[in-house]
Amino acid sequence: MALTGTESTTQKQRTLVGRRTVGDVETGITATAGGNQATAYQLTKSFNVLGTVATNADSVKLPTDRQVGDEVLIVNDGAANAQVFGAGTDTIDGIATATGVVLTAAKRCSYYVASITAGVAAWLSNMGVKSA
């Protein structure tokens, strides 16, 4: 069976993935220099491309608006390794949010919310124990 017709960009963007939408993209992100959770660049989209990571540990922070099953993809197109933090007291791969995890330059990683207990999200990366 063939489908015919057209779909507008707005209609495509309304297709939900978790609570974010397909087409929910931010590119050209500059990771915050200094590598700490408090000042890390706050991500809000489901697909994020880091365009500038000038020095190792320049940082970003996973979204605060999350629920179990959410997925966030981060692509590190920067020249250095990025540090990825959870928001608040969220963990990533069991690592405390104040420590964060490394996302190696020229790599990408998806992060998934596995559970939320007492308002604290447990994020898992698709790279196993640590991010790439």
Side-chain angles (χ1 to χ4, degrees):
M1 176 177 162
L3 297 176
T4 60
T6 60
E7 183 178 46
S8 73
T9 300
T10 302
Q11 288 168 320
K12 288 178 187 174
Q13 290 177 341
R14 288 187 182 143
T15 304
L16 291 176
V17 176
R19 292 190 310 170
R20 292 174 183 74
T21 58
V22 171
D24 189 14
V25 176
E26 184 173 2
T27 61
I29 296 169
T30 298
T32 303
N36 70 60
Q37 187 218 18
T39 61
Y41 182 87
Q42 180 67 65
L43 301 174
T44 60
K45 309 295 184 192
S46 59
F47 191 98
N48 304 275
V49 180
L50 309 182
T52 303
V53 183
T55 59
N56 285 336
D58 287 358
S59 58
V60 296
K61 188 176 356 183
L62 293 168
T64 58
D65 176 26
R66 72 272 191 276
Q67 68 181 18
V68 173
D70 279 355
E71 175 183 1
V72 173
L73 175 69
I74 304 174
V75 177
N76 184 357
D77 278 347
N81 298 337
Q83 196 73 7
V84 179
F85 294 98
T89 54
D90 291 358
T91 61
I92 304 170
D93 295 332
I95 305 297
T97 195
T99 303
V101 295
V102 174
L103 178 56
T104 307
K107 298 283 186 177
R108 62 185 173 268
C109 186
S110 289
Y111 300 86
Y112 306 90
V113 179
S115 65
I116 299 177
T117 304
V120 177
W123 292 84
L124 297 176
S125 74
N126 68 347
M127 296 308 235
V129 178
K130 305 259 185 198
S131 294

